[in-house]
Amino acid sequence: TQSTRPQRLLHAVQKNATRGDPRSVVKAIDNFCRQKEWAMNVGDEKGCILDSVVSEVNPVTVLELGTYCGYSTVRIASLLPPRAKIITLEFNPDYAKIARQVIAWAGLEDKIQVVEGPSGEWIPKMKEQFGVKTFDLVFLDHWKDRYLPDTKLLEDCGLLRKGTILLADNVICPGTPDYLEYVRNSPRYKSQYFKSHLEYTKAEDGLEKSVFLG
Ligand SMILES: Cn1ncc2cc([C@H](O)c3cccc(CNC(=O)c4cc(-c5ccc(F)cc5)cc(O)c4O)c3)ccc21
Ligand SMILES: [Mg+2]
């Protein structure tokens, strides 16, 4: 039977990356997507912006919405301090299956918890199920029409604290207009746009970094 793109991406990691070396996993995926098949990873250009935000925040508890094949999960986890953890939500079981194997190849299983299911159902359970108090950093990269409702849900569930950073992918392409309008006009956020390009292309895209003011 025909393999899927995530399966081919995983094989490229297993063929070209060194086990236990997260940066080689990131490089193998970027080379595969640049040379063989485009895939919706945050990519290396926006990935460098992601790296700088993660390094600046030095988060202990991270939430990622939208795991896909685990590219940004590995990128973030490789920069986390020893006891820090990332919870990543993926509703598509096939993506989750591939992501777990990419994460294992990088040797980052101890820092990453892949949770299968939709964000809308899992966000309200974060405290009771995973003992989360509040998140230090949230990376939004799932369905673009879920960024705003899930941000409001995170607020309502008391999962954001003064200073929590929300970092959103694709605010230009495919675009998240209602989310942008909200974080840029709400008195509860201080927002900043990092102009970049859509992964592996010349099209404009960017990341929006928003600080929750409480
Ligand atoms: C509710 N819930 N909870 C967890 C959860 C997890 C998922 C999946 O991980 C999933 C599946 C399919 C699509 C996405 C969103 N990503 C995108 O749609 C995207 C598109 C493009 C692009 C840009 C230009 C194009 F021409 C085509 C695609 C570039 C990008 O970087 C993207 O992130 C995420 C979905 C809903 C979920
Ligand atoms: Mg994206």
Side-chain angles (χ1 to χ4, degrees):
T1 55
Q2 183 57 23
S3 69
T4 65
R5 181 169 306 182
Q7 280 169 335
R8 295 190 292 272
L9 182 149
L10 170 64
H11 293 150
V13 166
Q14 294 168 333
K15 180 164 173 278
N16 303 306
T18 308
R19 265 186 177 286
D21 176 357
R23 302 316 293 181
S24 76
V25 167
V26 166
K27 197 147 279 321
I29 295 172
D30 282 331
N31 289 341
F32 173 76
C33 293
R34 223 180 277 111
Q35 293 154 17
K36 300 279 187 338
E37 302 185 56
W38 187 93
M40 61 178 180
N41 316 118
V42 74
D44 199 44
E45 193 180 312
K46 288 185 289 178
C48 287
I49 301 167
L50 172 62
D51 291 351
S52 61
V53 171
V54 173
S55 303
E56 177 200 335
V57 177
N58 234 334
V60 173
T61 316
V62 182
L63 174 64
E64 176 179 63
L65 301 176
T67 316
Y68 187 41
C69 297
Y71 173 92
S72 47
T73 327
V74 165
R75 229 179 146 124
I76 294 167
S78 71
L79 297 171
L80 294 181
R83 276 167 317 291
K85 293 265 186 279
I86 175 168
I87 294 173
T88 181
L89 301 188
E90 180 49 63
F91 94 108
N92 181 317
D94 300 323
Y95 293 170
K97 201 159 158 285
I98 297 293
R100 290 184 206 283
Q101 294 173 83
V102 167
I103 289 161
W105 198 267
L108 291 168
E109 310 93 310
D110 299 348
K111 300 178 111 45
I112 299 166
Q113 176 147 26
V114 179
V115 177
E116 280 186 52
S119 47
E121 282 176 27
W122 275 108
I123 287 171
K125 296 180 191 165
M126 281 292 148
K127 292 188 183 238
E128 64 185 288
Q129 296 283 331
F130 304 106
V132 170
K133 233 174 100 347
T134 55
F135 289 109
D136 304 312
L137 171 68
V138 181
F139 182 57
L140 299 94
D141 196 19
H142 59 335
W143 285 333
K144 309 314 162 194
D145 62 359
R146 289 295 314 176
Y147 282 28
L148 182 53
D150 284 347
T151 295
K152 290 181 170 174
L153 192 54
L154 285 163
E155 289 173 14
D156 297 345
C157 295
L159 286 163
L160 306 182
R161 53 135 173 110
K162 197 186 290 288
T164 295
I165 301 290
L166 303 187
L167 189 64
D169 189 26
N170 311 115
V171 295
I172 302 300
C173 176
T176 63
D178 59 344
Y179 172 80
L180 270 192
E181 203 274 330
Y182 179 71
V183 290
R184 288 178 175 176
N185 297 301
S186 163
R188 304 185 77 183
Y189 292 92
K190 175 90 189 70
S191 231
Q192 184 184 2
Y193 174 60
F194 291 81
K195 183 177 160 92
S196 183
H197 295 95
L198 176 69
E199 49 267 27
Y200 320 116
T201 77
K202 291 187 168 50
E204 181 180 346
D205 190 20
L207 301 175
E208 188 80 2
K209 176 189 169 193
S210 308
V211 188
F212 184 61
L213 302 173

